[in-house]
Amino acid sequence: MPLRLLAALLTALALAPFGSASADTIDFAFQPAIRQAEPTRLPLMDITRAGSRIVVAGERGVIAYSDDEGATWTQAEVPVSTTLTAVDFADAQQGWATGHGGVILHSGDAGATWSLQFDGNQANQQFLAYTRQRVAELETAVDEAEDPELADELSIALEDAEFAVEDAEAATGTGPVDPFLDILMLDSRRGFAVGAYGMLYATLDGGEHWQLAVRGIDNPDRYHYYSLAVDAAGALYLAGEAGLLYHSSDNGATWQRSEDLYDGSLFGALAPDASALVFGLRGHVFRSEDRGASWQSIDTGVEYGLYGGAQLDDGRLLIVGAGGQLLLSDDGGRSFSASNHPSRTSFAGGLADGRGGLLLVGMDGLIRIEAESNPDD
């Protein structure tokens, strides 16, 4: 699942298009996706399965699906033209996708048609309400504080909260700007969507309602969240900008941060079996065997940014990134073998094609690696 993207791809495709968005740009983004002659040749941000069907998502609101292991593709009916960054299915029929403009889409027919559940206008309004409530809470706390030192601390926090209200008010005037960068559905009812500037929203009813869920997490600087994962025991993992890394053992009600692990951005997260992996800039990979309590650095031997990954059908782990980088592990992520696809394109994700090969997505769209082939040949 994924933009668990490279720094360059993240900046170019996730933040820049709406960084100075005009009303015309935003209006166009909320028009239905234009039909493409070859939808899988556009930049693609994510790839996943809906049962036996393969689904990809990417630029210009493109979602496409294949029922023959990627041999042929059909473009889905999508109500937006904005870049889509991630797609996830809770089962063979129920799927969700996220993207620019704070959009969250839903499909109930295995990805053939999609409807808009949530957008950045609603996100802006929810965040504005949250900041105003936070100011009211701190004003009360300051008034009731009897300890002068505590009162000073609360006053500083109140000043920061008032600035946050000003930012939130400005955002409502700008429009639906900030992108969601990943989505994770635990089942057909419960899920999370995360993104730029600390966006964290949750649903308990299959997306009929998405609610801001930032109270249980410490991110005062509102750094970006890039990727979510859940392990076999139900532990959640959240990776982000500037080394942000959290785990939750209570379904996201509270999040514990892993401090001082790495200062660079962590773009991807995987949770195969009972272990977890996070990865990001300069080939960094970290692995945990205790549900996020501690992490070990894994020597990958590469210095490319790593942006997406998956557990393949045969149990191997795949991590992909910039410069055509492909990392494969057959020991649960304790070690990796590295190779480069000859295209040297940047990949955002991949999965097994059911025929022993790989399907990879990224800046050059969809690329297939046939079984028994060597990417370096």
Side-chain angles (χ1 to χ4, degrees), residues 250-298:
D250 57 9
N251 296 312
T254 60
W255 297 84
Q256 290 71 51
R257 183 174 176 181
S258 297
E259 303 276 4
D260 303 322
L261 184 66
Y262 177 52
D263 291 334
S265 291
L266 298 169
F267 295 121
L270 285 174
D273 304 320
S275 64
L277 295 169
V278 293
F279 44 88
L281 287 176
R282 298 185 62 82
H284 280 88
V285 176
F286 300 93
R287 185 175 185 274
S288 176
E289 293 184 348
D290 53 13
R291 304 184 72 183
S294 63
W295 295 85
Q296 295 76 46
S297 178
I298 304 299

mmCIF file of all heavy atoms in Angstrom, residues 250-298:
data_model
loop_
_atom_site.group_PDB
_atom_site.id
_atom_site.type_symbol
_atom_site.label_atom_id
_atom_site.label_comp_id
_atom_site.label_asym_id
_atom_site.label_seq_id
_atom_site.Cartn_x
_atom_site.Cartn_y
_atom_site.Cartn_z
ATOM 1 N N ASP A 250 -3.491 -0.763 20.807
ATOM 2 C CA ASP A 250 -4.898 -0.611 21.186
ATOM 3 C C ASP A 250 -5.729 -0.064 20.026
ATOM 4 O O ASP A 250 -6.575 0.806 20.205
ATOM 5 C CB ASP A 250 -5.038 0.267 22.429
ATOM 6 C CG ASP A 250 -4.403 1.658 22.258
ATOM 7 O OD1 ASP A 250 -4.002 1.989 21.119
ATOM 8 O OD2 ASP A 250 -4.296 2.385 23.253
ATOM 9 N N ASN A 251 -5.450 -0.582 18.835
ATOM 10 C CA ASN A 251 -6.223 -0.228 17.637
ATOM 11 C C ASN A 251 -6.190 1.259 17.323
ATOM 12 O O ASN A 251 -7.152 1.829 16.788
ATOM 13 C CB ASN A 251 -7.680 -0.697 17.778
ATOM 14 C CG ASN A 251 -7.803 -2.191 17.857
ATOM 15 O OD1 ASN A 251 -7.210 -2.915 17.057
ATOM 16 N ND2 ASN A 251 -8.551 -2.682 18.840
ATOM 17 N N GLY A 252 -5.066 1.903 17.642
ATOM 18 C CA GLY A 252 -4.890 3.291 17.267
ATOM 19 C C GLY A 252 -5.452 4.301 18.245
ATOM 20 O O GLY A 252 -5.411 5.505 17.972
ATOM 21 N N ALA A 253 -5.945 3.857 19.399
ATOM 22 C CA ALA A 253 -6.420 4.813 20.404
ATOM 23 C C ALA A 253 -5.264 5.635 20.943
ATOM 24 O O ALA A 253 -5.388 6.843 21.184
ATOM 25 C CB ALA A 253 -7.135 4.084 21.541
ATOM 26 N N THR A 254 -4.115 4.992 21.143
ATOM 27 C CA THR A 254 -2.894 5.676 21.546
ATOM 28 C C THR A 254 -1.738 5.114 20.736
ATOM 29 O O THR A 254 -1.765 3.959 20.297
ATOM 30 C CB THR A 254 -2.593 5.487 23.044
ATOM 31 O OG1 THR A 254 -2.439 4.090 23.335
ATOM 32 C CG2 THR A 254 -3.712 6.063 23.897
ATOM 33 N N TRP A 255 -0.706 5.959 20.559
ATOM 34 C CA TRP A 255 0.464 5.581 19.773
ATOM 35 C C TRP A 255 1.722 5.865 20.577
ATOM 36 O O TRP A 255 1.857 6.949 21.159
ATOM 37 C CB TRP A 255 0.515 6.371 18.466
ATOM 38 C CG TRP A 255 -0.636 6.117 17.534
ATOM 39 C CD1 TRP A 255 -1.867 6.706 17.557
ATOM 40 C CD2 TRP A 255 -0.655 5.201 16.434
ATOM 41 N NE1 TRP A 255 -2.654 6.221 16.543
ATOM 42 C CE2 TRP A 255 -1.932 5.297 15.830
ATOM 43 C CE3 TRP A 255 0.289 4.338 15.886
ATOM 44 C CZ2 TRP A 255 -2.296 4.558 14.718
ATOM 45 C CZ3 TRP A 255 -0.072 3.591 14.764
ATOM 46 C CH2 TRP A 255 -1.352 3.702 14.189
ATOM 47 N N GLN A 256 2.639 4.902 20.614
ATOM 48 C CA GLN A 256 3.920 5.080 21.290
ATOM 49 C C GLN A 256 4.988 5.345 20.239
ATOM 50 O O GLN A 256 5.113 4.588 19.269
ATOM 51 C CB GLN A 256 4.286 3.836 22.115
ATOM 52 C CG GLN A 256 3.410 3.628 23.340
ATOM 53 C CD GLN A 256 1.994 3.190 22.995
ATOM 54 O OE1 GLN A 256 1.801 2.238 22.246
ATOM 55 N NE2 GLN A 256 1.003 3.901 23.521
ATOM 56 N N ARG A 257 5.777 6.391 20.463
ATOM 57 C CA ARG A 257 6.801 6.752 19.497
ATOM 58 C C ARG A 257 8.132 6.084 19.818
ATOM 59 O O ARG A 257 8.533 6.016 20.987
ATOM 60 C CB ARG A 257 6.998 8.268 19.452
ATOM 61 C CG ARG A 257 8.013 8.695 18.395
ATOM 62 C CD ARG A 257 8.104 10.193 18.236
ATOM 63 N NE ARG A 257 9.161 10.531 17.279
ATOM 64 C CZ ARG A 257 9.504 11.759 16.941
ATOM 65 N NH1 ARG A 257 8.867 12.789 17.501
ATOM 66 N NH2 ARG A 257 10.474 11.978 16.074
ATOM 67 N N SER A 258 8.801 5.591 18.786
ATOM 68 C CA SER A 258 10.167 5.077 18.908
ATOM 69 C C SER A 258 11.118 6.238 18.653
ATOM 70 O O SER A 258 11.204 6.753 17.539
ATOM 71 C CB SER A 258 10.415 3.951 17.898
ATOM 72 O OG SER A 258 9.562 2.854 18.157
ATOM 73 N N GLU A 259 11.818 6.673 19.698
ATOM 74 C CA GLU A 259 12.670 7.857 19.627
ATOM 75 C C GLU A 259 14.085 7.505 19.178
ATOM 76 O O GLU A 259 14.576 6.404 19.417
ATOM 77 C CB GLU A 259 12.732 8.529 20.998
ATOM 78 C CG GLU A 259 11.376 8.924 21.560
ATOM 79 C CD GLU A 259 10.891 10.256 21.044
ATOM 80 O OE1 GLU A 259 11.571 10.840 20.183
ATOM 81 O OE2 GLU A 259 9.835 10.720 21.520
ATOM 82 N N ASP A 260 14.735 8.485 18.559
ATOM 83 C CA ASP A 260 16.168 8.432 18.276
ATOM 84 C C ASP A 260 16.593 7.222 17.446
ATOM 85 O O ASP A 260 17.713 6.735 17.571
ATOM 86 C CB ASP A 260 16.975 8.442 19.585
ATOM 87 C CG ASP A 260 16.659 9.657 20.433
ATOM 88 O OD1 ASP A 260 16.464 10.743 19.853
ATOM 89 O OD2 ASP A 260 16.600 9.517 21.665
ATOM 90 N N LEU A 261 15.706 6.751 16.595
ATOM 91 C CA LEU A 261 16.056 5.628 15.730
ATOM 92 C C LEU A 261 16.783 6.110 14.475
ATOM 93 O O LEU A 261 17.818 5.561 14.091
ATOM 94 C CB LEU A 261 14.791 4.854 15.337
ATOM 95 C CG LEU A 261 14.997 3.586 14.518
ATOM 96 C CD1 LEU A 261 15.719 2.534 15.352
ATOM 97 C CD2 LEU A 261 13.657 3.047 14.030
ATOM 98 N N TYR A 262 16.240 7.148 13.838
ATOM 99 C CA TYR A 262 16.783 7.647 12.582
ATOM 100 C C TYR A 262 16.172 9.011 12.333
ATOM 101 O O TYR A 262 14.982 9.227 12.581
ATOM 102 C CB TYR A 262 16.429 6.670 11.449
ATOM 103 C CG TYR A 262 16.865 7.097 10.065
ATOM 104 C CD1 TYR A 262 18.174 7.486 9.794
ATOM 105 C CD2 TYR A 262 15.958 7.101 9.011
ATOM 106 C CE1 TYR A 262 18.563 7.874 8.525
ATOM 107 C CE2 TYR A 262 16.344 7.478 7.735
ATOM 108 C CZ TYR A 262 17.643 7.873 7.501
ATOM 109 O OH TYR A 262 18.027 8.261 6.238
ATOM 110 N N ASP A 263 16.987 9.958 11.851
ATOM 111 C CA ASP A 263 16.496 11.312 11.616
ATOM 112 C C ASP A 263 15.867 11.487 10.240
ATOM 113 O O ASP A 263 15.153 12.465 10.009
ATOM 114 C CB ASP A 263 17.634 12.327 11.772
ATOM 115 C CG ASP A 263 18.106 12.453 13.207
ATOM 116 O OD1 ASP A 263 17.303 12.172 14.112
ATOM 117 O OD2 ASP A 263 19.283 12.813 13.407
ATOM 118 N N GLY A 264 16.144 10.561 9.313
ATOM 119 C CA GLY A 264 15.617 10.684 7.957
ATOM 120 C C GLY A 264 14.216 10.123 7.837
ATOM 121 O O GLY A 264 13.724 9.377 8.695
ATOM 122 N N SER A 265 13.564 10.461 6.744
ATOM 123 C CA SER A 265 12.186 10.030 6.542
ATOM 124 C C SER A 265 12.085 8.533 6.319
ATOM 125 O O SER A 265 12.937 7.910 5.673
ATOM 126 C CB SER A 265 11.570 10.767 5.346
ATOM 127 O OG SER A 265 11.384 12.134 5.654
ATOM 128 N N LEU A 266 11.017 7.957 6.860
ATOM 129 C CA LEU A 266 10.688 6.542 6.686
ATOM 130 C C LEU A 266 9.423 6.475 5.842
ATOM 131 O O LEU A 266 8.345 6.858 6.281
ATOM 132 C CB LEU A 266 10.478 5.869 8.049
ATOM 133 C CG LEU A 266 11.705 5.865 8.961
ATOM 134 C CD1 LEU A 266 11.332 5.425 10.376
ATOM 135 C CD2 LEU A 266 12.797 4.947 8.387
ATOM 136 N N PHE A 267 9.570 5.991 4.606
ATOM 137 C CA PHE A 267 8.481 6.045 3.640
ATOM 138 C C PHE A 267 7.572 4.824 3.649
ATOM 139 O O PHE A 267 6.441 4.905 3.173
ATOM 140 C CB PHE A 267 9.047 6.222 2.227
ATOM 141 C CG PHE A 267 9.747 7.524 2.016
ATOM 142 C CD1 PHE A 267 11.080 7.557 1.641
ATOM 143 C CD2 PHE A 267 9.088 8.724 2.189
ATOM 144 C CE1 PHE A 267 11.734 8.761 1.440
ATOM 145 C CE2 PHE A 267 9.730 9.932 1.990
ATOM 146 C CZ PHE A 267 11.065 9.949 1.616
ATOM 147 N N GLY A 268 8.058 3.687 4.139
ATOM 148 C CA GLY A 268 7.271 2.468 4.029
ATOM 149 C C GLY A 268 7.267 1.650 5.287
ATOM 150 O O GLY A 268 8.172 1.753 6.133
ATOM 151 N N ALA A 269 6.242 0.820 5.438
ATOM 152 C CA ALA A 269 6.123 -0.099 6.564
ATOM 153 C C ALA A 269 5.528 -1.410 6.081
ATOM 154 O O ALA A 269 4.613 -1.420 5.253
ATOM 155 C CB ALA A 269 5.256 0.496 7.666
ATOM 156 N N LEU A 270 6.066 -2.506 6.589
ATOM 157 C CA LEU A 270 5.558 -3.852 6.323
ATOM 158 C C LEU A 270 5.452 -4.581 7.654
ATOM 159 O O LEU A 270 6.273 -4.352 8.544
ATOM 160 C CB LEU A 270 6.500 -4.635 5.414
ATOM 161 C CG LEU A 270 6.553 -4.307 3.937
ATOM 162 C CD1 LEU A 270 7.679 -5.121 3.266
ATOM 163 C CD2 LEU A 270 5.226 -4.625 3.272
ATOM 164 N N ALA A 271 4.483 -5.456 7.773
ATOM 165 C CA ALA A 271 4.350 -6.233 9.004
ATOM 166 C C ALA A 271 4.051 -7.690 8.662
ATOM 167 O O ALA A 271 2.930 -8.169 8.858
ATOM 168 C CB ALA A 271 3.259 -5.649 9.898
ATOM 169 N N PRO A 272 5.044 -8.406 8.143
ATOM 170 C CA PRO A 272 4.835 -9.815 7.819
ATOM 171 C C PRO A 272 4.846 -10.672 9.072
ATOM 172 O O PRO A 272 5.713 -10.535 9.939
ATOM 173 C CB PRO A 272 6.037 -10.134 6.920
ATOM 174 C CG PRO A 272 7.104 -9.211 7.406
ATOM 175 C CD PRO A 272 6.397 -7.942 7.814
ATOM 176 N N ASP A 273 3.880 -11.531 9.198
ATOM 177 C CA ASP A 273 3.823 -12.467 10.326
ATOM 178 C C ASP A 273 3.884 -11.708 11.647
ATOM 179 O O ASP A 273 3.116 -10.793 11.867
ATOM 180 C CB ASP A 273 4.942 -13.503 10.200
ATOM 181 C CG ASP A 273 4.873 -14.234 8.859
ATOM 182 O OD1 ASP A 273 3.748 -14.545 8.434
ATOM 183 O OD2 ASP A 273 5.918 -14.455 8.233
ATOM 184 N N ALA A 274 4.845 -12.054 12.517
ATOM 185 C CA ALA A 274 4.928 -11.428 13.834
ATOM 186 C C ALA A 274 6.013 -10.367 13.917
ATOM 187 O O ALA A 274 6.300 -9.847 14.991
ATOM 188 C CB ALA A 274 5.184 -12.493 14.905
ATOM 189 N N SER A 275 6.630 -10.031 12.793
ATOM 190 C CA SER A 275 7.673 -9.013 12.776
ATOM 191 C C SER A 275 7.177 -7.774 12.036
ATOM 192 O O SER A 275 6.087 -7.766 11.475
ATOM 193 C CB SER A 275 8.942 -9.554 12.105
ATOM 194 O OG SER A 275 8.677 -9.860 10.743
ATOM 195 N N ALA A 276 7.997 -6.724 12.069
ATOM 196 C CA ALA A 276 7.654 -5.495 11.365
ATOM 197 C C ALA A 276 8.912 -4.898 10.768
ATOM 198 O O ALA A 276 10.005 -5.013 11.330
ATOM 199 C CB ALA A 276 6.992 -4.500 12.305
ATOM 200 N N LEU A 277 8.757 -4.244 9.618
ATOM 201 C CA LEU A 277 9.858 -3.561 8.944
ATOM 202 C C LEU A 277 9.418 -2.156 8.579
ATOM 203 O O LEU A 277 8.267 -1.941 8.177
ATOM 204 C CB LEU A 277 10.258 -4.291 7.660
ATOM 205 C CG LEU A 277 10.838 -5.696 7.771
ATOM 206 C CD1 LEU A 277 10.903 -6.322 6.395
ATOM 207 C CD2 LEU A 277 12.215 -5.657 8.403
ATOM 208 N N VAL A 278 10.343 -1.194 8.712
ATOM 209 C CA VAL A 278 10.126 0.148 8.177
ATOM 210 C C VAL A 278 11.358 0.515 7.376
ATOM 211 O O VAL A 278 12.463 0.019 7.645
ATOM 212 C CB VAL A 278 9.867 1.182 9.288
ATOM 213 C CG1 VAL A 278 8.548 0.902 9.984
ATOM 214 C CG2 VAL A 278 11.012 1.227 10.289
ATOM 215 N N PHE A 279 11.198 1.384 6.388
ATOM 216 C CA PHE A 279 12.311 1.684 5.493
ATOM 217 C C PHE A 279 12.124 3.064 4.889
ATOM 218 O O PHE A 279 11.020 3.614 4.884
ATOM 219 C CB PHE A 279 12.424 0.629 4.396
ATOM 220 C CG PHE A 279 11.106 0.240 3.779
ATOM 221 C CD1 PHE A 279 10.588 0.938 2.698
ATOM 222 C CD2 PHE A 279 10.367 -0.818 4.286
ATOM 223 C CE1 PHE A 279 9.371 0.588 2.133
ATOM 224 C CE2 PHE A 279 9.141 -1.169 3.730
ATOM 225 C CZ PHE A 279 8.652 -0.474 2.649
ATOM 226 N N GLY A 280 13.255 3.645 4.381
ATOM 227 C CA GLY A 280 13.147 4.991 3.849
ATOM 228 C C GLY A 280 14.391 5.462 3.143
ATOM 229 O O GLY A 280 14.961 4.747 2.309
ATOM 230 N N LEU A 281 14.844 6.660 3.488
ATOM 231 C CA LEU A 281 15.943 7.305 2.800
ATOM 232 C C LEU A 281 17.240 6.512 2.913
ATOM 233 O O LEU A 281 17.483 5.816 3.890
ATOM 234 C CB LEU A 281 16.164 8.709 3.371
ATOM 235 C CG LEU A 281 15.135 9.786 3.003
ATOM 236 C CD1 LEU A 281 15.465 11.077 3.745
ATOM 237 C CD2 LEU A 281 15.100 10.021 1.505
ATOM 238 N N ARG A 282 18.055 6.631 1.857
ATOM 239 C CA ARG A 282 19.424 6.105 1.838
ATOM 240 C C ARG A 282 19.501 4.619 2.188
ATOM 241 O O ARG A 282 20.451 4.161 2.817
ATOM 242 C CB ARG A 282 20.319 6.920 2.764
ATOM 243 C CG ARG A 282 20.426 8.393 2.347
ATOM 244 C CD ARG A 282 21.412 9.158 3.202
ATOM 245 N NE ARG A 282 22.760 8.607 3.051
ATOM 246 C CZ ARG A 282 23.593 8.901 2.048
ATOM 247 N NH1 ARG A 282 23.211 9.730 1.089
ATOM 248 N NH2 ARG A 282 24.785 8.372 1.989
ATOM 249 N N GLY A 283 18.503 3.865 1.765
ATOM 250 C CA GLY A 283 18.526 2.421 1.942
ATOM 251 C C GLY A 283 18.324 1.939 3.359
ATOM 252 O O GLY A 283 18.576 0.764 3.654
ATOM 253 N N HIS A 284 17.864 2.792 4.243
ATOM 254 C CA HIS A 284 17.695 2.389 5.638
ATOM 255 C C HIS A 284 16.489 1.454 5.807
ATOM 256 O O HIS A 284 15.392 1.740 5.321
ATOM 257 C CB HIS A 284 17.509 3.608 6.533
ATOM 258 C CG HIS A 284 18.796 4.295 6.869
ATOM 259 N ND1 HIS A 284 19.339 5.278 6.089
ATOM 260 C CD2 HIS A 284 19.655 4.114 7.897
ATOM 261 C CE1 HIS A 284 20.474 5.696 6.622
ATOM 262 N NE2 HIS A 284 20.691 5.004 7.723
ATOM 263 N N VAL A 285 16.716 0.349 6.500
ATOM 264 C CA VAL A 285 15.675 -0.598 6.874
ATOM 265 C C VAL A 285 15.841 -0.922 8.348
ATOM 266 O O VAL A 285 16.960 -1.159 8.819
ATOM 267 C CB VAL A 285 15.750 -1.897 6.042
ATOM 268 C CG1 VAL A 285 14.712 -2.913 6.535
ATOM 269 C CG2 VAL A 285 15.539 -1.607 4.553
ATOM 270 N N PHE A 286 14.728 -0.953 9.083
ATOM 271 C CA PHE A 286 14.743 -1.321 10.495
ATOM 272 C C PHE A 286 13.704 -2.410 10.720
ATOM 273 O O PHE A 286 12.642 -2.409 10.104
ATOM 274 C CB PHE A 286 14.433 -0.109 11.379
ATOM 275 C CG PHE A 286 15.411 1.020 11.213
ATOM 276 C CD1 PHE A 286 15.157 2.043 10.299
ATOM 277 C CD2 PHE A 286 16.588 1.051 11.940
ATOM 278 C CE1 PHE A 286 16.060 3.082 10.126
ATOM 279 C CE2 PHE A 286 17.497 2.087 11.778
ATOM 280 C CZ PHE A 286 17.238 3.100 10.872
ATOM 281 N N ARG A 287 14.044 -3.333 11.626
ATOM 282 C CA ARG A 287 13.194 -4.494 11.865
ATOM 283 C C ARG A 287 12.915 -4.654 13.353
ATOM 284 O O ARG A 287 13.806 -4.451 14.190
ATOM 285 C CB ARG A 287 13.876 -5.765 11.333
ATOM 286 C CG ARG A 287 13.040 -7.032 11.404
ATOM 287 C CD ARG A 287 13.777 -8.187 10.736
ATOM 288 N NE ARG A 287 12.967 -9.387 10.677
ATOM 289 C CZ ARG A 287 12.889 -10.285 11.654
ATOM 290 N NH1 ARG A 287 13.608 -10.116 12.764
ATOM 291 N NH2 ARG A 287 12.120 -11.354 11.528
ATOM 292 N N SER A 288 11.678 -5.036 13.675
ATOM 293 C CA SER A 288 11.280 -5.276 15.064
ATOM 294 C C SER A 288 10.656 -6.658 15.197
ATOM 295 O O SER A 288 9.864 -7.073 14.346
ATOM 296 C CB SER A 288 10.274 -4.219 15.533
ATOM 297 O OG SER A 288 9.817 -4.497 16.848
ATOM 298 N N GLU A 289 11.017 -7.345 16.267
ATOM 299 C CA GLU A 289 10.415 -8.646 16.572
ATOM 300 C C GLU A 289 9.573 -8.592 17.843
ATOM 301 O O GLU A 289 9.088 -9.627 18.302
ATOM 302 C CB GLU A 289 11.505 -9.713 16.718
ATOM 303 C CG GLU A 289 12.236 -10.028 15.417
ATOM 304 C CD GLU A 289 13.228 -11.157 15.583
ATOM 305 O OE1 GLU A 289 13.524 -11.541 16.740
ATOM 306 O OE2 GLU A 289 13.694 -11.681 14.545
ATOM 307 N N ASP A 290 9.422 -7.399 18.435
ATOM 308 C CA ASP A 290 8.680 -7.280 19.693
ATOM 309 C C ASP A 290 7.598 -6.207 19.602
ATOM 310 O O ASP A 290 7.405 -5.422 20.508
ATOM 311 C CB ASP A 290 9.626 -6.992 20.859
ATOM 312 C CG ASP A 290 10.541 -5.784 20.606
ATOM 313 O OD1 ASP A 290 10.270 -5.027 19.652
ATOM 314 O OD2 ASP A 290 11.512 -5.615 21.351
ATOM 315 N N ARG A 291 6.919 -6.173 18.460
ATOM 316 C CA ARG A 291 5.761 -5.307 18.240
ATOM 317 C C ARG A 291 6.119 -3.834 18.410
ATOM 318 O O ARG A 291 5.336 -3.040 18.927
ATOM 319 C CB ARG A 291 4.602 -5.700 19.165
ATOM 320 C CG ARG A 291 4.183 -7.158 19.034
ATOM 321 C CD ARG A 291 2.988 -7.497 19.866
ATOM 322 N NE ARG A 291 1.765 -6.899 19.298
ATOM 323 C CZ ARG A 291 0.567 -6.996 19.883
ATOM 324 N NH1 ARG A 291 0.453 -7.655 21.034
ATOM 325 N NH2 ARG A 291 -0.480 -6.451 19.328
ATOM 326 N N GLY A 292 7.319 -3.475 17.955
ATOM 327 C CA GLY A 292 7.708 -2.077 17.929
ATOM 328 C C GLY A 292 8.394 -1.565 19.164
ATOM 329 O O GLY A 292 8.781 -0.389 19.219
ATOM 330 N N ALA A 293 8.600 -2.411 20.174
ATOM 331 C CA ALA A 293 9.269 -1.956 21.393
ATOM 332 C C ALA A 293 10.736 -1.634 21.130
ATOM 333 O O ALA A 293 11.299 -0.704 21.718
ATOM 334 C CB ALA A 293 9.142 -3.002 22.490
ATOM 335 N N SER A 294 11.384 -2.394 20.253
ATOM 336 C CA SER A 294 12.773 -2.134 19.888
ATOM 337 C C SER A 294 12.956 -2.436 18.404
ATOM 338 O O SER A 294 12.205 -3.231 17.829
ATOM 339 C CB SER A 294 13.737 -2.971 20.732
ATOM 340 O OG SER A 294 13.536 -4.359 20.486
ATOM 341 N N TRP A 295 13.981 -1.797 17.813
ATOM 342 C CA TRP A 295 14.216 -1.925 16.383
ATOM 343 C C TRP A 295 15.692 -2.166 16.127
ATOM 344 O O TRP A 295 16.546 -1.591 16.817
ATOM 345 C CB TRP A 295 13.768 -0.664 15.645
ATOM 346 C CG TRP A 295 12.292 -0.423 15.723
ATOM 347 C CD1 TRP A 295 11.615 0.209 16.728
ATOM 348 C CD2 TRP A 295 11.305 -0.833 14.770
ATOM 349 N NE1 TRP A 295 10.272 0.231 16.459
ATOM 350 C CE2 TRP A 295 10.049 -0.395 15.274
ATOM 351 C CE3 TRP A 295 11.365 -1.500 13.551
ATOM 352 C CZ2 TRP A 295 8.866 -0.620 14.573
ATOM 353 C CZ3 TRP A 295 10.179 -1.724 12.864
ATOM 354 C CH2 TRP A 295 8.948 -1.291 13.370
ATOM 355 N N GLN A 296 15.990 -3.003 15.127
ATOM 356 C CA GLN A 296 17.364 -3.283 14.732
ATOM 357 C C GLN A 296 17.579 -2.795 13.298
ATOM 358 O O GLN A 296 16.728 -3.020 12.425
ATOM 359 C CB GLN A 296 17.674 -4.789 14.812
ATOM 360 C CG GLN A 296 17.627 -5.362 16.229
ATOM 361 C CD GLN A 296 16.203 -5.551 16.735
ATOM 362 O OE1 GLN A 296 15.346 -6.071 16.019
ATOM 363 N NE2 GLN A 296 15.950 -5.118 17.959
ATOM 364 N N SER A 297 18.717 -2.152 13.077
ATOM 365 C CA SER A 297 19.062 -1.699 11.738
ATOM 366 C C SER A 297 19.509 -2.882 10.895
ATOM 367 O O SER A 297 20.286 -3.731 11.356
ATOM 368 C CB SER A 297 20.177 -0.661 11.816
ATOM 369 O OG SER A 297 20.563 -0.250 10.518
ATOM 370 N N ILE A 298 19.002 -2.963 9.661
ATOM 371 C CA ILE A 298 19.354 -4.028 8.734
ATOM 372 C C ILE A 298 20.265 -3.453 7.649
ATOM 373 O O ILE A 298 19.926 -2.459 7.012
ATOM 374 C CB ILE A 298 18.099 -4.642 8.080
ATOM 375 C CG1 ILE A 298 17.131 -5.146 9.154
ATOM 376 C CG2 ILE A 298 18.492 -5.760 7.121
ATOM 377 C CD1 ILE A 298 17.684 -6.235 10.055
#
